[in-house]
Amino acid sequence: MERAECNRNCWISAAIAGVVVLLFTSGIGDLHWLAGLFLGAVTFVLFGALMVWLVCHERPELFAEGDGLTGTDWQRAAVDRQPETLLVGGSLGPEPFTSGTQMSGRQVPIVAGAMPAAASRPDPAPAAPAQPAGTAPGADDLKRIKGIGPKISDWLNAQGVTRYEQIAAWDAAAVADFARRLGRMGGRIEADDWVGQAKLLAAGGETAHSRRIDKGEVV
């Protein structure tokens, strides 16, 4: 903004203030229009001089040309003067740790906005499949055989029967012996064909009941 333009704006504002005083004193008030004109002229002179002194005389920075640069140009020049990378000596300051690779004496570039590379970590080993609840380590889940519930499964494990192959190898005498020891539940051995189911599961197959057990539909 040029000084002449600043002075002109101040005197225009003073003239508007003088007209307002003239209207309020003579047009709306009870004073004669000559008195209103006098007060308006005084307001114009005093208010204009005060505005010029406050706004234009005491603010020389408003008129600095700045070598032809605007405020936006100054901001761009300041950004251009900032370095894109900073070199920091690896030996500066106390070393936080001594294990691993040492950074003695070498400079590491730090790029603005870049994140330090994370140390490579070995992939975690895959977790072992969960053992079914109530099953001894290394034993088969006998509850996948239809007719064997949690209580019968625990009883068979206590009798040393923990694998499908053992039940698949039962002959008629073994079936009769376990049926006798199971009491009233012994008839389920032949009714549900435990031996046939055990042979299928031992060979890696599955039954409709075993699929329901695997999906958690049957506890």
Side-chain angles (χ1 to χ4, degrees), residues 63-82:
F63 317 106
E65 296 295 335
D67 297 332
L69 294 177
T70 63
T72 304
D73 295 334
W74 278 108
Q75 293 178 358
R76 292 177 179 176
V79 173
D80 293 339
R81 286 195 297 268
Q82 293 180 356

Side-chain angles (χ1 to χ4, degrees), residues 141-148 164 192-215 217-218:
D141 185 9
L142 300 183
K143 296 188 297 296
R144 298 181 71 212
I145 297 176
K146 184 179 180 180
I148 298 180
Y164 298 138
D192 293 324
D193 191 16
W194 289 8
V195 176
Q197 293 185 67
K199 290 180 179 179
L200 181 60
L201 295 174
E206 58 182 6
T207 64
H209 179 76
S210 67
R211 284 193 293 268
R212 295 179 62 191
I213 291 291
D214 297 338
K215 293 179 180 179
E217 297 178 358
V218 180

Side-chain angles (χ1 to χ4, degrees), residues 15-186:
I16 295 174
V19 172
V20 172
V21 172
L22 172 62
L23 294 176
F24 271 93
T25 54
S26 62
I28 301 176
D30 297 333
L31 296 178
H32 193 267
W33 69 272
L34 288 176
L37 181 62
F38 173 75
L39 292 177
V42 172
T43 302
F44 168 72
V45 173
L46 295 179
F47 187 73
L50 181 63
M51 290 290 294
V52 170
W53 181 73
L54 291 177
V55 178
C56 301
H57 180 72
E58 295 296 326
R59 299 291 302 275
E61 66 274 9
L62 294 176
F63 317 106
E65 296 295 335
D67 297 332
L69 294 177
T70 63
T72 304
D73 295 334
W74 278 108
Q75 293 178 358
R76 292 177 179 176
V79 173
D80 293 339
R81 286 195 297 268
Q82 293 180 356
E84 294 182 356
T85 59
L86 300 175
L87 294 179
V88 179
S91 59
L92 295 179
E95 295 183 358
F97 57 91
T98 57
S99 62
T101 305
Q102 299 292 334
M103 298 171 56
S104 57
R106 63 187 182 95
Q107 292 181 334
V108 180
I110 301 179
V111 182
M115 297 295 294
S120 59
R121 298 179 180 178
D123 295 335
Q131 190 76 14
T135 303
D140 292 327
D141 185 9
L142 300 183
K143 296 188 297 296
R144 298 181 71 212
I145 297 176
K146 184 179 180 180
I148 298 180
K151 292 183 178 180
I152 297 179
S153 176
D154 294 340
W155 182 83
L156 289 173
N157 290 336
Q159 303 302 315
V161 180
T162 59
R163 308 286 298 180
Y164 298 138
E165 291 86 349
Q166 294 175 270
I167 300 178
W170 285 357
D171 54 12
V175 170
D177 179 58
F178 277 98
R180 178 183 56 81
R181 287 192 281 173
L182 279 172
R184 61 185 181 86
M185 299 295 295

